[in-house]
Structure formats: C-alpha cells, structure tokens
Amino acid sequence: MNRFTKALLTSAAALTLIFTAAVPASAGPLTPNRGRFAAVGDSYAAGVGNTPLKHAGTTGRSADAYPVLLAGRDNKVTFLAESGATTKSVMTNQVQGVLPTTQQITVTVGGNDIGFAKVALACASPTEACSVALNNALAALSALPDDLGALLMQLQMRAPEAEIYVTGYPLLFQPKNNACPALPGYDATTLGAADAGIGLLNGVIANTATALEVEYVDVTGEFAGHGLCDGMNSFIFPPSFFPDGYPNPSSLHPSAAGQAAYAKAIEETAFHSAAEG
C-alpha cells in the first residue's frame, strides 16, 4: 500500500467513526464553453431519469443534467458521462473523449465502485440487509482512493490546462426525528445508516481530490431539506420497481430540481458557466 493510499485510508477510518451508525436552443453568440467544457462520470452526472437527449441510448444522458445546465445547451459540452460508470470505466471509455484544450472538467463518479445503489436499496429493508450492504461497501471503499486518484491524474495529463471539479453525492433520505413519513414502511434507522455511508463516500472523494489539488464540490448543502424523507420538497426520485422486482433506473437519482442543485453547487466554486458568457 503506497503512502498516498495510506493517508487517504487514515482519513476514511476517521470518518468511519463519525458515520457508524430539455434545455431549448437559443439564438446569439456561442458561450465560452463550446469545446472547452467536458463532463465525465456516472448516472448522477448523466441525469438519468430526466428528459433524455436524442440518441441517448443506454447512457441515460438528459437535457436536464447539470453539465447541460452549466453549458447552456448540450452541444456546448463534451458530454461523456453515462449510466453505470465506475472510475475504471471512465478511464477506459470517457477520458479519451476529453479534448486536450479543455478548460473545465466536471467529474461525478465513485458510487458504482462501492455499490452505492445497492446500499441505498438494501437500507430500505431490514437492518441486517443494510448492515451487510454497508460492510460490503466499506470493503470496496478501500480501493477507491487509488482508482479515483488515477482517474484524476489521467484527466490532468489529458487536459493539462483544465480546472477539474469533482463532486460528491447528496444525502438521499435525511430522516427527521427517526421518522420518514414520505416513505411509509421504510425503516428510518437504516435510511439514516445509508446516508451515513454516503457521507463516508463523500469524505474519501473529497480527500482524494484535495490530495491532488483538485476542486471538491460538496453538494449536500444544496440538497439539505430535499431528501426523500422531505416528501414534496424532495430533489430525489423515489425508489420504484418493475413488475419483476428490478429497480427503475430513475430510482434514487436527482430529479430536474436535483440536477439544478448540482449545477448551483458547482457554479459557486468559480466554475465559468454559460450564464457568464
């Protein structure tokens, strides 16, 4: 284990103690982002569950996704994020699509590396299932610092002038007073455990980014008061399932309002958005 990994895992261990428990086209000049902004990552960056872009296919890319909101419209961002992506698949399938002249890159990835969706769904079940899923995620989390670090270094080499913005994930449930009336039949304690696991994931992502002098974007503030337990105020699509029991792809993903929250959090870190053009 190298020193970089050890340092990050030490931070992760400390965090474990804390957390145990369609955009229309517009006339006018091109914005500064054309050919200069790239977005890589997983379904949270792709905008899965919202209005799909033409020819999105299995990528899940949406016209409501935060990269499109930041760019002004989809043809002004090199939109590479896709559903199901992990840090390794981003390195294999997305990084080569980033132009060397790119000035800004957004990254949202890491959840699939540790089975993020499995934890969230399992923690809507009995405590034992939640505990098993969380333990599996914590075991997988040990590999994330090296994998995410390798991805960020690859992006730095691919586009050496680019400012990179790495986001975390929202706390999905946010139960209040050990209750979640918006999700009847769900156990508030295990929902809280799932949120704690997300907090741990965010801590590792933040430490990895900081170690490489990359901007970390904390989105939890923009989602505060907008978890699934907040009912009509939620920025998250509720869990839903097909007749065969397979989860709907939109389950536990940010809605259009959630994607706007992501965009706002990124803009507030000095990202040069289309609005500034």
Side-chain angles (χ1 to χ4, degrees), residues 95-266:
V95 171
Q96 70 269 27
V98 175
L99 298 175
T101 54
T102 298
Q103 298 296 300
Q104 298 182 122
I105 303 170
T106 56
V107 182
T108 302
V109 74
N112 290 323
D113 293 63
I114 68 165
F116 173 87
K118 291 180 180 178
V119 171
L121 289 169
C123 287
S125 302
T127 305
E128 183 178 350
C130 179
S131 297
V132 171
L134 280 170
N135 286 336
N136 290 339
L138 287 172
L141 192 61
S142 63
L144 185 59
D146 277 348
D147 291 342
L148 180 57
L151 167 60
L152 296 179
M153 288 187 284
Q154 196 175 99
L155 287 168
Q156 288 171 327
M157 289 186 288
R158 178 71 180 175
E161 299 301 316
E163 184 74 22
I164 301 174
Y165 302 83
V166 182
T167 79
Y169 293 88
L171 303 184
L172 295 178
F173 301 106
Q174 302 179 46
K176 310 293 189 297
N177 300 318
N178 204 35
C180 188
L183 294 173
Y186 284 51
D187 183 84
T189 300
T190 55
L191 296 181
D195 281 352
I198 295 168
L200 179 56
L201 169 63
N202 285 342
V204 173
I205 293 172
N207 288 340
T208 305
T210 301
L212 293 171
E213 299 183 346
V214 169
E215 185 77 40
Y216 173 69
V217 182
D218 182 0
V219 301
T220 58
E222 295 297 334
F223 281 83
H226 299 289
L228 278 165
C229 294
D230 292 293
M232 296 297 292
N233 293 320
S234 176
F235 287 175
I236 305 293
F237 288 121
S240 61
F241 302 86
F242 292 114
D244 62 1
Y246 194 80
N248 188 308
S250 68
S251 294
L252 307 177
H253 282 76
S255 63
Q259 289 293 327
Y262 257 95
K264 183 179 179 183
I266 295 167

Side-chain angles (χ1 to χ4, degrees), residues 55-92:
H55 314 300
T58 60
T59 66
R61 292 176 197 140
S62 169
D64 299 317
Y66 78 72
V68 178
L69 299 181
L70 290 169
R73 60 190 192 202
D74 63 278
N75 68 348
K76 292 180 180 177
V77 53
T78 305
F79 197 1
L80 301 163
E82 59 184 346
S83 180
T86 64
T87 52
K88 289 182 178 178
S89 71
V90 171
M91 284 189 276
T92 302

